[in-house]
Amino acid sequence: MARHKFAIGTEVRLISRTWLSPTAAETYRVITLLPTMDLSPQYRLRNDELGQERVSKEDNLSVLPESRP
């Protein structure tokens, strides 16, 4: 089983924005570690500034350089 690469509190950016609204946030904070799907760990993400939440697989996320969990 794959292990999660990002800890709760890590700031991440979505790699692919396909199917997202142009007003969707670009960066999010990991708020929950979710089970693996299709061999990729999943995360619940939140952007506090815009009040947006979403779920993403790990292979669609990159860590922001200045992020600290």
Side-chain angles (χ1 to χ4, degrees):
M1 177 173 271
R3 298 184 67 176
H4 289 81
K5 181 165 78 172
F6 307 118
I8 292 174
T10 304
E11 298 284 331
V12 295
R13 178 181 315 277
L14 295 175
I15 295 170
S16 172
R17 297 181 49 82
T18 305
W19 307 110
L20 292 181
S21 164
T23 61
E26 289 190 32
T27 60
Y28 294 85
R29 177 177 44 87
V30 174
I31 59 171
T32 307
L33 306 180
L34 299 173
T36 299
M37 176 184 266
D38 300 330
L39 302 176
S40 183
Q42 296 185 102
Y43 300 85
R44 176 165 289 284
L45 310 169
R46 177 161 179 82
N47 178 291
D48 291 325
E49 183 180 327
L50 299 176
Q52 297 177 354
E53 288 193 15
R54 66 183 63 255
V55 171
S56 180
K57 291 184 192 177
E58 185 172 279
D59 57 6
N60 190 42
L61 301 174
S62 65
V63 67
L64 294 179
E66 65 277 2
S67 179
R68 292 185 193 95

